[in-house]
Amino acid sequence: GAVVSQHPSWVICKSGTSVKIECRSLDFQATTMFWYRQFPKQSLMLMATSNEGSKATYEQGVEKDKFLINHASLTLSTLTVTSAHPEDSSFYICSAGRQLETQYFGPGTRLLVL
Amino acid sequence: DQQVKQNSPSLSVQEGRISILNCDYTNSMFDYFLWYKKYPAEGPTFLISISSIKDKNEDGRFTVFLNKSAKHLSLHIVPSQPGDSAVYFCAASRGNQGGKLIFGQGTELSVKP
C-alpha cells in the first residue's frame, strides 16, 4: 500500500497559538488529500479536501479561517490550526490516494491545547 | 444525517471463530465501499474494498459482502485472531465526489484467546 506520513505525531501548545501539521505522501503523488478529525470514541469526521494548486474545499460547519489548508505540492499538504483553543484538542488525520477510491491514512497527530 | 451506520459499537469473538461486522448505508449513490482497521492514536489501515458492481470480495481471511438492495455490507474475518482486536470502520464514497469518504461510527472488535 501507499505510505502517508504526518508530522508532528503529537503537539502540546498554549491557547491562542497556531499549530501547523504536515501530511506527506512518501511514494506517490497526490493531487487530492483529505483532513479528518476524530474525537475519542467517535468516528472520523471529514474536515476538508485539500486540492493541489487550488483552494481547499471545507465541509459544512468547519471554519476555513481557523483551519488553514495549503496543498503546496503533489506530495505535501499542511493544516494550520490558528489561534488554537482547548476545544480544538483532537486527533487530526490526513489521507491521500493514488486512485480516487482507496485512501491511505497517515498515522495522525494528537493536538492538546492548554 | 448519518449516511453510513455501524449499529454495533462493540463485538466480542472467540479466537478461531468468525467475526462478522456490519454496516448499513442510506445513500444509493455510493459506489465504492471500504473497511479500515484502527488502533488507538494511530491512523486507519486499509483492509479491503468493494465496488458496487460486485457482491463479494475476498482477501485472505477477510471477505466483504455487499447487498445493494438492502444497502448493507459486512466484513467477515475467518478465523479471528487476537491481533485482529481493533476498531473497524466502514466507509463509502461516490465516484463523482473526488474520493471523499463517509465513515461509519466504528465497531470495536475484541478477539479473546
Side-chain angles (χ1 to χ4, degrees), chain B residues 41-81:
Chain B
E42 294 185 12
T45 301
F46 171 71
L47 277 177
I48 191 169
S49 61
I50 187 167
S51 164
S52 60
I53 62 174
K54 295 185 176 181
D55 55 17
K56 177 183 175 180
N57 189 25
E58 189 173 354
D59 184 2
R61 298 187 296 116
F62 302 92
T63 303
V64 55
F65 295 91
L66 175 63
N67 183 334
K68 286 177 60 181
S69 62
K71 296 190 179 68
H72 176 85
L73 65 153
S74 60
L75 174 68
H76 292 210
I77 306 174
V78 180
S80 301
Q81 300 173 353

Side-chain angles (χ1 to χ4, degrees), chain B residues 84-104:
Chain B
D84 295 329
S85 298
V87 178
Y88 288 78
F89 289 94
C90 69
S93 70
R94 290 171 54 180
N96 64 352
Q97 293 285 296
K100 184 167 76 171
L101 294 178
I102 306 299
F103 280 86

